[in-house]
Amino acid sequence: MVSTRRQFLKGTVAGSGLASLNLASIKSHAAFTAATETGLKDLYAKDFKIGTAISGANMRAADPKFMGLIAKEFNAITMENNMKWERLNPEQGKWDWEIPDKFMAFGASQNMYILGHVLVWHSQVPDWVFKNAKGKDINARKLKARMVDHIEQLAGRYKGKISAWDVLNEAVDEGNGWRKSPWFNIIGPKFVDLAFNTAHEIDPNAHLIYNDYNMHNPDKRDFVVKMVRDLKKRGVPIQGIGMQGHVALDYPSIKELEDSIKAFAAEGMRVHITELDVDVLPAAWDHIGAEISTNFEYSDQLNPYTKGLPAEIEAKLASRYSDLFKLFLKYRDDIERVTFWGTGDKESWKNDFPVRGRTNYPLLFDREYKRKPCYDAVAALKK
């Protein structure tokens, strides 16, 4: 068994690029080791945590087979939407804790690293947070009070139970400095200090993260590095940077991702690879990003794989995931966790973003939660 496994690794993974990943060999190896295979969390136990985001629908259903898969494969979990403001606190004074409580109980039962997502964000926030009864922006004093109350309610409810918080999400614009969100426009840049300081006061043991997409972008990277330095100078508690991993088969480059990992780690930040998925579909008008308000018109040309993923694209996907995890392993001492944005292809947000109604294949498990060749490529790096 050992010699066969070594031969597989030598022939399919040790090299780089598509040629090093033979799809037939991956499938053969997967079948060969099926009886003894463990979850990804076990394979990467000495490197970093392996996580997934769980949807509200899956959490509500709590299907034993699905939850068993989560427990076997992952040791970190994120609530996909139900800790966001519009789901949790849609009306002033009205809170819905059902799904978050179930999520927390499941994570605790499996002794998982639980990521709270998210305390402060410009998207998926109900209008009442920023507006008065006449539809006008409230003043800075009132908005600060609403932010503090929200963090006290949410972080306070799960104090001592949450491993880490995405305190602030997507507050930086591409090449334009601060995003001109209602938080920034009403309070100013010190809203960042308020968010982190409040989260730390409420739960001093939670690991506090700034999370954003396109963190490979040099302008965004440099701005975030400066932000971290400024926050630390003022004594603001920030310990981690989340690099959203919404990538494609051919962008961004491994070097761009590596440069950002190195830059954030150099500032003393724990690096989190968050929301990882690999888009295999044609780019919509060269759209790159994760701003959820973006949407493009559907066309068949942008949805070519409705009947299944061609073997050539499947192999490219496996190669891409292999290259990404080689990079993550290179910086295992700086990376806290790698979290996928979903578990199976059917539930992925990439089916509807940035074009609604497409059939995408961005994750390690297929629409029936069966392991794909890209799963086996990631697993093979540790065997």
Side-chain angles (χ1 to χ4, degrees), residues 182-214:
W183 297 110
F184 181 90
N185 291 338
I186 297 173
I187 300 174
K190 288 298 182 68
F191 85 92
V192 179
D193 299 49
L194 180 61
F196 278 94
N197 284 330
T198 304
H200 182 66
E201 290 170 8
I202 299 302
D203 194 349
N205 294 320
H207 180 78
L208 305 183
I209 301 165
Y210 174 72
N211 186 56
D212 212 330
Y213 62 83
N214 282 1

Side-chain angles (χ1 to χ4, degrees), residues 28-313:
S28 176
H29 178 71
F32 178 75
T33 60
T36 59
E37 202 138 31
T38 55
L40 287 179
K41 66 176 174 53
D42 304 303
L43 296 176
Y44 283 83
K46 295 181 179 180
D47 306 303
F48 37 71
K49 297 172 184 67
I50 300 291
T52 188
I54 303 177
S55 70
N58 275 333
M59 199 68 253
R60 182 178 287 106
D63 177 72
K65 185 176 181 180
F66 174 80
M67 302 310 292
L69 175 68
I70 300 299
K72 179 178 182 180
E73 297 288 348
F74 305 101
N75 53 13
I77 53 172
T78 301
M79 188 83 260
E80 184 181 29
N81 282 304
N82 287 72
M83 282 188 178
K84 293 174 181 174
W85 206 314
E86 70 175 6
R87 299 283 183 92
L88 187 65
N89 185 200
E91 300 174 19
Q92 198 163 7
K94 180 180 179 180
W95 295 80
D96 186 352
W97 299 106
E98 179 189 1
I99 299 302
D101 282 353
K102 288 182 178 180
F103 167 81
M104 294 296 300
F106 173 72
S109 73
Q110 301 299 319
N111 195 31
M112 287 179 162
Y113 185 100
I114 304 176
L115 190 284
H117 179 78
V118 51
L119 293 176
V120 178
W121 190 25
H122 66 278
S123 291
Q124 294 183 253
V125 180
D127 287 342
W128 71 262
V129 176
F130 303 119
K131 305 287 185 180
N132 61 24
K134 296 181 179 180
K136 303 293 185 181
D137 286 347
I138 60 175
N139 60 37
R141 179 182 59 82
K142 288 184 178 180
L143 186 55
K144 287 178 182 178
R146 287 179 182 178
M147 178 198 289
V148 169
D149 179 69
H150 185 80
I151 295 173
E152 287 178 344
Q153 294 286 340
L154 179 49
R157 186 179 183 89
Y158 302 126
K159 178 181 178 179
K161 301 175 182 178
I162 284 278
S163 306
W165 278 107
D166 280 338
V167 175
L168 180 58
N169 202 44
E170 301 173 4
V172 179
D173 203 355
E174 247 60 353
N176 297 309
W178 293 112
R179 180 188 295 276
K180 303 309 184 287
S181 70
W183 297 110
F184 181 90
N185 291 338
I186 297 173
I187 300 174
K190 288 298 182 68
F191 85 92
V192 179
D193 299 49
L194 180 61
F196 278 94
N197 284 330
T198 304
H200 182 66
E201 290 170 8
I202 299 302
D203 194 349
N205 294 320
H207 180 78
L208 305 183
I209 301 165
Y210 174 72
N211 186 56
D212 212 330
Y213 62 83
N214 282 1
M215 294 288 262
H216 65 279
N217 180 298
D219 289 335
K220 178 170 278 192
R221 174 200 312 144
D222 293 345
F223 191 90
V224 172
V225 165
K226 182 180 183 302
M227 178 191 77
V228 168
R229 290 174 180 172
D230 290 344
L231 290 173
K232 290 170 67 177
K233 285 179 183 178
R234 295 195 295 272
V236 177
I238 179 173
Q239 296 104 24
I241 295 294
M243 295 176 56
Q244 291 184 22
H246 300 301
V247 303
L249 291 174
D250 54 1
Y251 66 81
S253 71
I254 294 297
K255 183 181 185 304
E256 288 174 316
L257 293 168
E258 181 173 16
D259 288 346
S260 291
I261 292 172
K262 291 166 63 176
F264 299 139
E267 300 303 318
M269 297 291 101
R270 295 294 292 165
V271 176
H272 300 248
I273 308 300
T274 67
E275 310 186 22
L276 181 61
D277 46 35
V278 179
D279 195 329
V280 303
L281 299 182
W285 294 272
D286 296 322
H287 171 77
I288 301 172
E291 170 53 54
I292 64 167
S293 62
T294 304
N295 198 255
F296 295 98
E297 185 178 351
Y298 176 90
S299 72
D300 289 341
Q301 289 77 14
L302 295 174
N303 191 29
Y305 309 131
T306 58
K307 303 299 184 183
L309 204 57
E312 178 186 3
I313 305 302

Side-chain angles (χ1 to χ4, degrees), residues 348-369:
S348 173
W349 76 306
K350 296 301 295 183
N351 293 302
D352 290 313
F353 180 87
V355 179
R356 295 187 182 278
R358 295 199 295 176
T359 305
N360 215 323
Y361 304 81
L363 297 167
L364 299 190
F365 295 86
D366 67 16
R367 281 165 166 73
E368 296 179 349
Y369 296 110

